[in-house]
Amino acid sequence: MFDLKYLHKITIDDVPLQWMTRTEFFSSDLEQFPLMYLHLLTDRTSSDILGDYNPDKKQRIFGCVLSAQWGDLKKNELCDVEIQFACNIPQMHCSEYDAQIADELKHRIGLADKVSFDDLSDICSNSPSSLPLLQKIWRDKIEIVYGKYIPHGRIFDQMYGIVRFSASGAAPRLGKTSEYRMLYWYMKDLGEKVTFGKEVDRFRFLEFYLLPTYDELIGETFIHFSKFKKFYLSTKKFWKLEYTDTFIVNGHKFKSSPTSNLPTAAKSFEKRYAKLFGSAGADYDNISQLRQIFNRMPMRLYGYIWNLMTPTETDFRFAFSNRDNFKEFYRDHSKKKGSSAKVVACFLQQAFGKEAFPIDTWVKTFIYYPLGMNAKNNGKMDPSELIQDKLYSNYNRLDKLEKLIWASSMGNKTNKTEFLDILWCQRYGTDEGSGGPCRGANPLSCSKCVLNHVCEGYQSIKDEDLCVSDDIPSLENDMKNSESFFGVYTKQGVPREIYTNDRKKFTLRDGHSGLELPMSTVVPNGSMTVDTFVRSL
């Protein structure tokens, strides 16, 4: 019933050429599955009805991007991109339809609400001391990798985005590859297969599936989506059975599960729901299949159910139109059982265009260290309510701030050449990896960072006294006697380890791995300020 017949060629102006390395239409880990998905129900502005799958007074428009041709650089250092888009309606049939498709594609590639250098002033208007840091990161690092803009906006369709980020919950082992696989499994099992014909017949080897739109989900109108409806009805029963607690965010009602429900182990899951649904029933089979789709992870399934069913009672578009609503949701209710606040933040930001702020390890450590909100923290604890409130008070457009943090942190994470001399504070400091502390703002990590003169974290520690010793027991004793937070252990005079006196506990914070200090760098035993130590290296 659903078919793609037409090939559109749509030119999008003024895109950074650097984006050609990061704009994904397909993945080699999941061949023949288009990643860039578009599905609209738009007010019918043409007298012609195209297709037999349209609600009253609406035209359904759907399709996928096949490829892009990147043009030459222009005087503004940007280029035009011609996108080939397989669509169910012909191009130039209706100018309004063409404009809506082009606008959606601008969002899909991240151009419609891009992050620019000029945004930094707005982001930091309530915290001007942070502006030099962000500007230096942008000029010296971001522009090299991303060009004039960082992609941002509604990069995903709303329904597609809910599924895609539900797959990211509970940290899948293979990361993005696992997430794409789960997305594909979901689409092929719950989506309607779309055929390729006419102008795009040669692409019939592709697998493209269609889900109902977000508005169809809210209205529970699945006339053309029988596969999805079957699973939805079972999911709705699960929702009514297990999500029975209620909490309110500024007048908007949300649900969660009692703490005694929602088993995390596979055997416990099977035992509970075989009993509640009946092991021979269709509902049990459907819920079990959904668990398989989400890579057999019960917690990932529960998150998906919350993400899918919540808007049938509380529309995300209205509930989170106010940034303070999301702050309250994340700050006060992120521990509620049955959902993942970080996942919700991701799809609200990247599928709904909301100012949502997902806080992962990289974002958290950027807040603590470069932004100086908790520079000595070991990175293990989540931001306190006070820090979250301060974040919303100090910065605007947190969604765009998060994109800059993400871009910088990913360059750091992958040891990309341009980022090797910044943000050592975000890295883990010992061989324990994620089981140990982050380096944080400390005399060694800050000494290797070209941002230290504009970094608020460094500014908060640079005048503190530290102890230097080539003997660990002596170092511990000196730090406790002088009440110094930092201590430097040297071997043959060369700084090798950083210890902290955190809550009167002597702890290794930084084991020097990855830092390059020549043997000629010798520091004497004794006491000095952090800044004196850093300038001596």
Side-chain angles (χ1 to χ4, degrees):
M1 178 177 63
F2 295 111
D3 52 2
L4 297 174
K5 298 179 180 179
Y6 305 101
L7 183 64
H8 293 209
K9 293 185 177 181
I10 301 165
T11 299
I12 298 179
D13 299 334
D14 293 337
V15 183
L17 183 60
Q18 289 89 338
W19 289 13
M20 69 179 294
T21 66
R22 58 169 302 97
T23 305
E24 289 186 292
F25 306 134
F26 297 90
S27 169
S28 60
D29 292 319
L30 200 59
E31 295 177 1
Q32 303 177 357
F33 179 64
L35 295 175
M36 199 164 284
Y37 171 102
L38 187 152
H39 188 190
L40 303 172
L41 280 179
T42 186
D43 292 334
R44 186 177 295 152
T45 57
S46 171
S47 58
D48 294 337
I49 300 174
L50 302 177
D52 56 358
Y53 37 60
N54 297 298
D56 185 40
K57 298 180 181 180
K58 297 285 184 180
Q59 173 64 56
R60 193 182 300 276
I61 301 173
F62 55 89
C64 60
V65 174
L66 303 174
S67 64
Q69 180 66 43
W70 297 76
D72 295 331
L73 277 177
K74 301 186 291 187
K75 290 182 179 180
N76 60 3
E77 293 297 311
L78 300 170
C79 66
D80 298 338
V81 181
E82 183 183 84
I83 288 178
Q84 291 197 29
F85 177 70
C87 190
N88 66 308
I89 64 172
Q91 195 169 16
M92 295 185 291
H93 171 77
C94 173
S95 60
E96 287 86 351
Y97 296 164
D98 289 347
Q100 289 183 65
I101 292 170
D103 182 65
E104 287 296 311
L105 292 180
K106 287 178 184 178
H107 274 286
R108 295 297 179 273
I109 69 170
L111 190 68
D113 193 21
K114 60 191 180 293
V115 186
S116 71
F117 181 84
D118 291 340
D119 288 321
L120 304 183
S121 297
D122 177 48
I123 290 170
C124 297
S125 61
N126 298 328
S127 186
S129 60
S130 300
L131 185 58
L133 169 73
L134 301 188
Q135 288 179 330
K136 184 169 179 58
I137 292 175
W138 188 283
R139 289 193 180 106
D140 295 354
K141 309 299 177 184
I142 297 297
E143 280 194 9
I144 297 172
V145 179
Y146 288 88
K148 295 184 73 170
Y149 310 121
I150 299 174
H152 180 56
R154 291 188 286 104
I155 294 173
F156 300 96
D157 167 87
Q158 292 166 338
M159 279 291 290
Y160 188 87
I162 287 174
V163 178
R164 186 258 177 271
F165 284 107
S166 294
S168 72
R173 185 172 61 88
L174 297 178
K176 195 173 184 179
T177 298
S178 292
E179 294 165 17
Y180 278 167
R181 289 174 183 172
M182 286 182 263
L183 173 64
Y184 168 69
W185 296 335
Y186 184 96
M187 297 296 288
K188 75 180 181 63
D189 285 354
L190 277 75
E192 298 297 325
K193 182 71 179 288
V194 178
T195 60
F196 287 73
K198 274 195 175 183
E199 297 172 13
V200 294
D201 179 66
R202 64 188 182 277
F203 300 110
R204 62 184 178 276
F205 61 88
L206 296 176
E207 290 187 69
F208 185 63
Y209 301 92
L210 206 63
L211 299 174
T213 66
Y214 181 74
D215 283 320
E216 287 176 308
L217 170 69
I218 290 175
E220 297 184 313
T221 51
F222 309 128
I223 298 171
H224 304 294
F225 299 93
S226 57
K227 293 171 66 177
F228 181 89
K229 182 178 180 179
K230 178 185 73 170
F231 285 93
Y232 175 82
L233 293 176
S234 297
T235 303
K236 188 174 182 179
K237 291 181 181 179
F238 188 104
W239 172 254
K240 290 183 176 297
L241 182 70
E242 296 286 57
Y243 289 76
T244 54
D245 287 352
T246 299
F247 62 95
I248 305 295
V249 176
N250 194 18
H252 299 280
K253 184 172 70 173
F254 295 90
K255 288 184 176 178
S256 62
S257 177
T259 56
S260 59
N261 294 0
L262 303 185
T264 57
K267 289 185 178 180
S268 300
F269 176 95
E270 292 166 359
K271 181 179 180 181
R272 177 175 177 83
Y273 297 113
K275 179 179 180 181
L276 291 177
F277 289 117
S279 59
D283 292 322
Y284 174 75
D285 289 343
N286 291 338
I287 294 298
S288 295
Q289 187 172 343
L290 283 169
R291 183 172 73 89
Q292 294 297 317
I293 287 171
F294 287 106
N295 212 16
R296 302 182 298 279
M297 174 68 74
M299 295 305 294
R300 209 172 283 139
L301 168 64
Y302 303 146
Y304 157 76
I305 292 173
W306 192 95
N307 302 337
L308 184 79
M309 296 306 305
T310 294
T312 64
E313 300 179 2
T314 301
D315 190 338
F316 292 136
R317 294 173 298 193
F318 302 115
F320 295 113
S321 59
N322 184 323
R323 75 195 299 256
D324 286 337
N325 289 1
F326 183 76
K327 177 184 74 171
E328 181 181 336
F329 172 83
Y330 204 108
R331 182 195 62 198
D332 300 341
H333 305 289
S334 60
K335 303 301 183 184
K336 294 287 195 299
K337 194 165 184 180
S339 66
S340 166
K342 186 172 75 172
V343 168
V344 174
C346 287
F347 68 70
L348 285 179
Q349 183 196 107
Q350 298 186 48
F352 290 80
K354 301 301 181 185
E355 188 182 351
F357 193 75
I359 303 178
D360 62 7
T361 297
W362 297 98
V363 171
K364 173 177 64 176
T365 53
F366 196 98
I367 294 169
Y368 287 166
Y369 312 137
L371 296 184
M373 291 193 181
N374 201 347
K376 295 178 180 178
N377 190 282
N378 64 14
K380 293 184 178 182
M381 300 297 292
D382 289 333
S384 65
E385 293 182 9
L386 181 63
I387 286 180
Q388 292 187 55
D389 287 342
K390 186 177 179 182
L391 188 68
Y392 275 80
S393 174
N394 286 9
Y395 301 98
N396 302 313
R397 285 307 300 260
L398 287 172
D399 54 324
K400 290 193 171 185
L401 173 62
E402 189 268 340
K403 276 295 170 288
L404 183 143
I405 294 173
W406 183 88
S408 326
S409 301
M410 290 307 100
N412 181 18
K413 179 180 180 180
T414 56
N415 291 327
K416 190 162 176 57
T417 303
E418 294 84 359
F419 292 84
L420 284 176
D421 57 359
I422 67 170
L423 302 178
W424 284 87
C425 55
Q426 290 185 303
R427 300 170 184 264
Y428 293 112
T430 70
D431 289 338
E432 294 176 90
S434 59
C438 290
R439 285 183 156 116
N442 83 58
L444 265 185
S445 62
C446 293
S447 74
K448 304 300 292 183
C449 182
V450 299
L451 301 174
N452 58 37
H453 66 290
V454 291
C455 173
E456 296 188 85
Y458 180 70
Q459 297 306 310
S460 72
I461 67 167
K462 71 183 185 70
D463 295 325
E464 292 193 12
D465 288 329
L466 59 77
C467 300
V468 180
S469 178
D470 56 7
D471 178 75
I472 289 181
S474 296
L475 180 64
E476 181 177 3
N477 187 60
D478 292 345
M479 289 172 65
K480 289 181 178 178
N481 287 339
S482 63
E483 297 185 348
S484 298
F485 185 81
F486 292 112
V488 181
Y489 169 63
T490 64
K491 293 181 181 179
Q492 298 179 334
V494 181
R496 292 301 183 190
E497 294 176 343
I498 296 292
Y499 286 83
T500 60
N501 183 19
D502 191 2
R503 299 178 183 85
K504 298 184 178 181
K505 184 177 181 181
F506 183 73
T507 306
L508 177 65
R509 177 65 63 89
D510 191 342
H512 175 63
S513 60
L515 290 168
E516 297 179 3
L517 287 176
M519 292 297 294
S520 59
T521 303
V522 176
V523 180
N525 289 352
S527 177
M528 65 187 76
T529 67
V530 170
D531 196 52
T532 299
F533 173 85
V534 167
R535 286 188 287 107
S536 72
L537 300 182

